[in-house]
Amino acid sequence: GAGVSQTPSNKVTEKGKYVELRCDPISGHTALYWYRQSLGQGPEFLIYFQGTGAADDSGLPNDRFFAVRPEGSVSTLKIQRTERGDSAVYLCASSISGSRRETQYFGPGTRLLVL
Amino acid sequence: QKEVEQDPGPLSVPEGAIVSLNCTYSNSAFQYFMWYRQYSRKGPELLMYTYSSGNKEDGRFTAQVDKSSKYISLFIRDSQPSDSATYLCAIQAGNQFYFGTGTSLTVIP
């Protein structure tokens, strides 16, 4: 079946602009995660959704970052007033229910470049 | 102190070699440990998941956890050029996953 998909695959924007990054999880997966991966680093946790609600948003770096999952499937990560330091690969992952020992399936990521 | 530390390498080995990849972690309460493989411009892919001390084997891959030393390892036997990738250790703590920086591995034919 289809894996996790993310759009766009690449995004170039200017400092101060607003961007939206989309994640389509595997069908039926209730748990959804967003990560940020900077060059030469491992993924850094941003937010975890269980269904429609953000169960843990403690990884969001500041209030410029916001994510939604209104129908419990597709999720959008929104970044306001982008800064050059926001440049990174934004990864989305999903799992069946978010329980321990479940496999997280990652998407290919969106490469964001803020000029 | 970061939750998990990993030597970034890079590591270059000849085909057929045994590869050893290692991480250390900070909190003795951590119980769930993972190894991911990430190819260039792709998302990480789960290789091994373990939640106890000792060894877990899957084909050419063996994951080892030493909770007394807070040390986790991944061994790759008979390494192949297709194993060339970045390997990430990760720890699950509640809803959050803490990743190492990744070790870049190149297997030379």
Side-chain angles (χ1 to χ4, degrees), chain A residues 9-109:
Chain A
S9 53
N10 296 280
K11 176 70 177 178
V12 181
T13 191
E14 293 179 346
K15 181 175 176 296
K17 299 290 188 182
Y18 168 83
V19 296
E20 289 190 352
L21 312 178
R22 176 186 167 110
C23 172
D24 273 276
I26 293 173
S27 178
H29 282 193
T30 62
L32 186 147
Y33 305 80
W34 282 100
Y35 294 85
R36 177 169 66 177
Q37 187 172 23
S38 300
L39 192 64
Q41 301 295 315
E44 172 192 9
F45 170 82
L46 294 178
I47 187 169
Y48 159 61
F49 283 91
Q50 181 55 251
T52 60
D56 186 343
D57 64 358
S58 61
L60 295 177
N62 51 60
D63 61 5
R64 295 187 298 105
F65 289 74
F66 189 71
V68 295
R69 196 185 185 198
E71 297 178 357
S73 178
V74 171
S75 176
T76 305
L77 178 66
K78 308 181 181 194
I79 310 174
Q80 298 178 320
R81 304 183 304 282
T82 52
E83 299 177 356
R84 293 193 179 90
D86 299 335
S87 298
V89 177
Y90 290 82
L91 293 164
C92 175
S94 71
S95 66
I96 293 173
S97 68
S99 299
R100 287 198 165 89
R101 310 186 200 179
E102 278 184 1
T103 299
Q104 281 191 38
Y105 296 90
F106 280 84

Side-chain angles (χ1 to χ4, degrees), chain B:
Chain B
Q1 183 184 10
K2 295 183 71 173
E3 290 81 8
V4 58
E5 301 275 0
Q6 182 174 10
D7 184 343
L11 192 59
S12 184
V13 301
E15 183 175 354
I18 296 173
V19 176
S20 172
L21 304 165
N22 309 294
C23 290
T24 58
Y25 61 94
S26 59
N27 190 331
S28 58
F30 292 149
Q31 296 183 50
Y32 302 94
F33 309 94
M34 291 144 282
W35 284 95
Y36 286 82
R37 177 174 61 197
Q38 186 173 25
Y39 291 114
S40 180
R41 304 186 73 81
K42 301 287 187 183
E45 166 194 20
L46 182 67
L47 279 177
M48 303 281 287
Y49 191 115
T50 184
Y51 58 95
S52 60
S53 283
N55 295 350
K56 180 177 180 179
E57 191 173 318
D58 184 0
R60 295 186 294 109
F61 298 90
T62 299
Q64 188 175 81
V65 177
D66 181 347
K67 290 190 175 180
S68 62
S69 302
K70 293 184 281 187
Y71 198 83
I72 57 177
S73 302
L74 178 71
F75 299 97
I76 307 174
R77 290 185 301 280
D78 188 25
S79 55
Q80 302 295 309
S82 59
D83 295 329
S84 298
T86 295
Y87 290 80
L88 298 150
C89 60
I91 294 170
Q92 183 177 8
N95 299 319
Q96 296 201 18
F97 291 76
Y98 299 107
F99 284 82
T101 55
T103 300
S104 174
L105 172 68
T106 301
V107 181
I108 302 167

